[in-house]
Amino acid sequence: MTDAPASANGSPPPLMLFNSLTRSLETFQPVHPGEARVYSCGPTVYNYPHIGNMRAYVFADVLGRTLSFKGYKLTHVINITDVGHLTDDADAGEDKLEKAAKERAQSIWDIARHYTEAYWADIRALGIRQPAEWSIATDYVPRMIDFARSIADKHCYELDSGLYFDVSTVADYGRLARAATDEGEGRIDPVAGKRHAADFAIWRKTPPGETRQMEWDSPWGRGAPGWHLECSVMSGALLGFPFDIHTGGIDHREIHHPNEIAQNQAYCCAGGLDVAANSGARLWMHNNFLVERSGKMSKSAGEFLRLGLLSDKGYHPLAYRLMCLQAHYRSELEFSWEGLGAALTRLKRLVMAAAVLHGADETTPTDRRLTDLLAKFDAAMSDDLNTPVALTLIEEAAAMKKVDAGQKRAALAAMDVVLGLDLLTIGRADLRVRPRAATIDEAGIEAILARRKEARAAKDFAASDALRDELIAAGVEVMDGDALGWDWRLGDQG
Ligand code: AMP
Ligand code: ZN
């Protein structure tokens, strides 16, 4: 080993994480010794999540797994937004769920249930660990009203359309976004009577003569809570202010999280942002976006990239997880089918290396090469979750020759607990996802391949080629001489 081990004195390196609030790397110091309390903004369940949304939860999962790996007792909360998120992140437009319900003539509750289930299916498929709690926004409305009531006098004002938060009543509003109060005015639709462009609704009154499917009585009239209010209330109620880490996609750094912070400052009765207690969470962490070559990922324009579509085309969901890990969470990641294919090949190599160790009894690694790799792995993950490096380290361990199988298996397991690729459980057959449009099954493929092998052995190349064409017509790519021994793959049919 030429590289220096992770830490000169042999003690594990401290966990360094990037805090969006200070725009710097900070040593993780738990609010409650030995614990880590994390809140992640969850999906708005008016439609299926796209794979970009799922990147946010792969990130939160890797963060949670790393905190557990570093010895902290993790409490992770992810919310489900089933009310309050408008079609614009600011105060304009309709509630996304009300709109979807109207368009499809369905009940909001049915819509929310359907898309929550679909999101949970993606969570499971991606190997994302279950949080301690999925908090459902509509379960917290009475507590949202209490929260709003407690800050209304000092920080809010009422208009015909609702109760608004006056952002000038807290210090440093918008510091997370690095924007002054009135910046971004062009983006935010003006609401008649608002004192500042950045003021936001924390309670939206139902307009006279209208009824909404979801509405509650409040001191400010019948209506529904604002989206920002729900995250302040659920995170504070379940984790207690201040908690350790608040996560979300980078778009939340601009409006949603500055507004949550402003509410938390008001609620905690603290003015500035300098002390963690004042913003509600000690660290605010944001994952960058998954983008398409054509630009921002969208649920309406172009091909709607859902996890299910990837499976329909023959890509195992964990190949997408590995694709996410190949990039640092703070870097933009561009999606491409070629990139996904390469990630699948990388995953196959790892799975096959692990398969060789099947049945070996795990024993604590003492081999110096393995212990060095494990120390480097710890250092990489402790360096603001450097998964691209961590992946190369698990690959190095997987490729190691002349090493005790039990020790190697234990080292791979220790790293995979953090990366979550399920290497020791899934097998080669699991990764051969059958594309939806495929017209042949595995037994059929194997039968043709066996006939083809015979034809080749008999040097009947015409017959061999004909059988190969038959497979291609059925969507099977035959990979002669494939170094992985992965001799066929059901290709993209559609
Ligand atoms: P939403 O359901 O729109 O509230 O989004 C759920 C999560 O996905 C939020 O944390 C967003 O910030 C995040 N997100 C949205 N689009 C992307 C994307 N293209 N890449 C990564 N994260 C995203
Ligand atoms: Zn949120």
Side-chain angles (χ1 to χ4, degrees):
M1 281 288 146
T2 46
D3 293 340
S7 138
N9 60 10
S11 60
L15 176 60
M16 305 295 293
L17 297 172
F18 188 84
N19 188 356
S20 297
L21 206 50
T22 57
R23 297 288 199 274
S24 64
L25 279 174
E26 292 178 12
T27 306
F28 177 70
Q29 281 169 327
V31 174
H32 305 274
E35 277 194 50
R37 301 186 185 185
V38 181
Y39 181 89
S40 300
C41 282
T44 306
V45 285
Y46 73 107
N47 201 339
Y48 295 105
H50 57 51
I51 55 172
N53 298 130
M54 297 315 293
R55 186 183 184 198
Y57 306 105
V58 169
F59 153 64
D61 182 53
V62 170
L63 171 66
R65 285 169 178 266
T66 303
L67 287 160
S68 302
F69 171 72
K70 299 295 283 180
Y72 298 103
K73 181 178 164 289
L74 175 71
T75 308
H76 188 195
V77 173
I78 306 180
N79 78 286
I80 300 289
T81 295
D82 56 357
V83 66
H85 195 169
L86 304 190
T87 48
D88 189 289
D89 273 3
D91 283 325
E94 272 182 279
D95 185 297
K96 287 184 176 185
L97 274 128
E98 289 274 352
K99 183 164 177 269
K102 228 182 274 169
E103 282 167 4
R104 293 173 226 173
Q106 275 182 304
S107 106
I108 283 196
W109 303 99
D110 288 345
I111 288 184
R113 192 175 319 115
H114 177 77
Y115 293 113
T116 303
E117 295 287 346
Y119 165 71
W120 282 339
D122 285 1
I123 287 281
R124 286 190 297 271
L126 286 168
I128 292 167
R129 296 198 304 190
Q130 291 292 314
E133 182 112 28
W134 294 104
S135 60
I136 314 285
T138 45
D139 290 344
Y140 286 79
V141 176
R143 271 174 277 195
M144 294 182 207
I145 294 170
D146 288 345
F147 185 116
R149 199 191 275 125
S150 76
I151 63 172
D153 283 355
K154 279 194 185 159
H155 299 275
C156 304
Y157 56 93
E158 209 174 328
L159 297 176
D160 286 345
S161 53
L163 183 71
Y164 286 82
F165 190 96
D166 180 339
V167 298
S168 70
T169 62
V170 291
D172 283 345
Y173 172 77
R175 194 169 96 198
L176 181 69
R178 296 288 189 270
T181 307
D182 283 345
E183 259 181 38
E185 197 168 348
R187 264 185 317 141
I188 300 175
D189 268 16
V191 172
K194 262 185 8 176
R195 294 179 188 163
H196 315 96
D199 290 353
F200 55 92
I202 66 174
W203 189 263
R204 297 171 300 114
K205 294 185 203 177
T206 305
E210 268 185 39
T211 46
R212 289 177 179 153
Q213 282 198 39
M214 281 189 175
E215 52 182 9
W216 293 261
D217 285 322
S218 84
W220 316 282
R222 225 170 146 65
W227 173 42
H228 317 300
L229 180 62
E230 59 192 62
C231 282
S232 280
V233 169
M234 289 186 279
S235 61
L238 291 164
L239 299 175
F241 289 136
F243 56 93
D244 295 296
I245 305 174
H246 196 310
T247 80
I250 193 138
D251 51 331
H252 290 347
R253 207 178 66 178
E254 308 308 314
I255 297 176
H256 182 45
H257 290 169
N259 290 353
E260 266 191 73
I261 288 175
Q263 293 167 157
N264 297 349
Q265 284 173 277
Y267 186 78
C268 299
C269 303
L273 272 181
D274 294 332
V275 195
N278 300 351
S279 71
R282 221 167 230 188
L283 289 145
W284 291 76
M285 294 179 69
H286 297 97
N287 63 277
N288 211 323
F289 266 24
L290 178 78
V291 294
E292 285 182 88
R293 208 156 291 171
S294 55
K296 198 180 161 202
M297 190 148 294
S298 143
K299 295 184 187 186
S300 46
E303 197 171 35
F304 183 177
L305 286 170
R306 282 175 56 193
L307 200 62
L309 179 69
L310 273 47
S311 300
D312 287 350
K313 288 182 181 265
Y315 298 93
H316 194 279
L318 289 174
Y320 175 64
R321 181 177 176 108
L322 190 142
M323 188 182 183
C324 290
L325 301 181
Q326 285 180 166
H328 189 264
Y329 76 89
R330 283 195 284 125
S331 305
E332 210 169 71
L333 171 60
E334 187 179 298
F335 177 79
S336 71
W337 292 104
E338 304 80 66
L340 185 63
L344 180 61
T345 302
R346 238 181 135 176
L347 182 60
K348 282 174 186 170
R349 283 183 204 282
L350 281 167
V351 165
M352 288 170 72
V356 175
L357 308 170
H358 190 70
D361 282 336
E362 286 179 24
T363 44
T364 310
T366 48
D367 186 312
R368 181 68 201 276
R369 293 170 302 162
L370 285 176
T371 54
D372 276 349
L373 277 180
L374 284 165
K376 283 185 178 176
F377 183 88
D378 189 346
M381 293 310 296
S382 301
D383 178 18
D384 195 27
L385 317 179
N386 196 336
T387 52
V389 168
L391 268 179
T392 63
L393 295 166
I394 197 172
E395 284 172 333
E396 247 186 82
M400 198 173 280
K401 302 259 172 7
K402 295 191 185 125
V403 62
D404 177 80
Q407 288 192 31
K408 182 166 166 177
R409 192 179 153 95
L412 288 183
M415 296 188 199
D416 196 42
V417 158
V418 186
L419 299 177
L421 293 170
D422 219 6
L423 295 183
L424 297 164
T425 332
I426 53 171
R428 165 186 158 132
D430 301 313
L431 290 180
R432 277 182 184 156
V433 175
R434 189 177 146 76
R436 200 143 75 146
T439 53
I440 192 166
D441 62 14
E442 295 214 0
I445 295 170
E446 297 291 359
I448 297 178
L449 279 174
R451 279 164 56 203
R452 184 163 173 262
K453 210 169 168 184
E454 281 170 24
R456 280 159 70 107
K459 301 218 183 314
D460 183 351
F461 296 113
S464 156
D465 287 351
L467 288 164
R468 186 191 174 101
D469 289 347
E470 203 178 309
L471 286 170
I472 290 170
V476 182
E477 245 178 80
V478 183
M479 302 194 274
D480 288 323
D482 171 16
L484 293 178
W486 206 272
D487 42 19
W488 58 265
R489 169 176 115 78
L490 277 165
D492 179 4
Q493 305 270 302

